[in-house]
Amino acid sequence: GAVVSQHPSRVICKSGTSVKIECRSLDFQATTMFWYRQFPKQSLMLMATSNEGSKATYEQGVEKDKFLINHASLTLSTLTVTSAHPEDSSFYICSARAPRDSYEQYFGPGTRLTVT
Amino acid sequence: EDKVVQSPLSLVVHEGDTVTLNCSYEVTNFRSLLWYKQEKKAPTFLFMLTSSGIEKKSGRLSSILDKKELFSILNITATQTGDSAVYLCATQGYGGATNKLIFGTGTLLAVQP
């Protein structure tokens, strides 16, 4: 149990376009999902916390208008990178927290975004 | 500002060696410390430590937390090439938004045959 999927696993897009990344909890309901970004040879940096049915909470320095987060259901959160630039190229990972496991987070496999 | 620092940043050992990875933290809201192993994709969970002085063990891996000195260590004995990965530690607070994980810088471990 406790499987989290992400789609797509890899995406290449052109500068100026928008890209949507999906994070799904497959066998549990996730009231909270987290979005992380990881640059090469660096650690995971939390971008935002996404709660079902409410606005996401963004970390300092993360532009909410650029990284749109929607947590419309208990099993799906989406991250949309708007007007992507090459510096947005990164590895994006989501994690999900189940209500019954107050502190356990389950990570998705990640999405490699390359902006050309 | 909350911070989690790991050392060393990278380490090269030979198969059979024992390694100790360090993680120190300064966070305002601390509930637990977690260790993850990251190969090419998302991190995989190793341990969650909440209490001081109680060693957690899984095969050749073990970990312990010192809440007084604010650090944790991860030991790997009889290392194998399959242990090569980035090892991440993270702290987690109590409730709500502080349930988020604050990750350390990571230690890149390379185990040579």
Side-chain angles (χ1 to χ4, degrees):
Chain A
V3 178
V4 176
S5 71
Q6 277 184 245
H7 178 80
S9 58
R10 190 180 289 267
V11 58
I12 300 171
C13 70
K14 292 188 176 179
S15 230
T17 61
S18 294
V19 174
K20 181 185 281 189
I21 302 169
E22 293 185 349
C23 177
R24 292 182 186 271
S25 55
L26 297 185
D27 51 2
F28 66 101
Q29 293 184 327
T31 51
T32 305
M33 289 184 172
F34 301 87
W35 286 96
Y36 296 86
R37 179 169 52 184
Q38 186 176 35
F39 291 108
K41 298 186 180 179
Q42 294 188 26
S43 191
L44 278 75
M45 296 298 293
L46 180 66
M47 299 175 67
T49 302
S50 166
N51 292 298
E52 187 266 336
S54 64
K55 290 184 180 180
T57 304
Y58 290 81
E59 294 299 300
Q60 195 172 7
V62 178
E63 299 175 59
K64 63 177 74 172
D65 294 331
K66 180 167 183 63
F67 298 99
L68 301 178
I69 291 172
N70 187 329
H71 193 157
S73 78
L74 285 171
T75 59
L76 173 65
S77 176
T78 60
L79 168 69
T80 301
V81 183
T82 63
S83 188
H85 290 284
E87 56 264 32
D88 297 325
S89 299
S90 187
F91 191 50
Y92 292 87
I93 306 174
C94 72
S95 70
R97 180 167 66 91
R100 67 181 184 281
D101 295 323
S102 300
Y103 298 98
E104 186 78 46
Q105 287 186 30
Y106 305 96
F107 282 88
T111 296
R112 174 76 59 193
L113 170 64
T114 303
V115 185
T116 60
Chain B
E1 184 187 338
D2 292 339
K3 60 180 178 181
V4 179
V5 178
Q6 291 183 245
S7 65
L9 288 180
S10 65
L11 189 57
V12 180
V13 300
H14 290 97
E15 272 193 315
D17 289 349
T18 293
V19 297
T20 299
L21 309 182
N22 304 291
C23 176
S24 63
Y25 61 92
E26 288 181 38
V27 298
T28 51
N29 181 349
F30 178 86
R31 177 190 178 272
S32 55
L33 185 142
L34 298 91
W35 283 96
Y36 292 87
K37 177 182 181 181
Q38 185 178 27
E39 295 173 89
K40 290 186 178 175
K41 292 196 171 181
T44 53
F45 173 80
L46 295 175
F47 299 110
M48 176 188 280
L49 303 159
T50 307
S51 301
S52 235
I54 299 174
E55 184 183 57
K56 290 216 171 178
K57 200 170 171 65
S58 176
R60 296 177 294 103
L61 277 66
S62 63
S63 184
I64 197 161
L65 173 67
D66 185 329
K67 291 169 76 172
K68 184 179 176 185
E69 300 297 329
L70 308 183
F71 78 92
S72 173
I73 59 172
L74 175 69
N75 279 319
I76 309 175
T77 59
T79 51
Q80 302 171 357
T81 54
D83 296 327
S84 298
V86 174
Y87 289 84
L88 298 166
C89 73
T91 63
Q92 188 175 50
Y94 282 96
T98 51
N99 190 228
K100 65 185 182 185
L101 296 173
I102 301 172
F103 279 90
T105 43
T107 293
L108 173 61
L109 173 65
V111 181
Q112 294 181 340

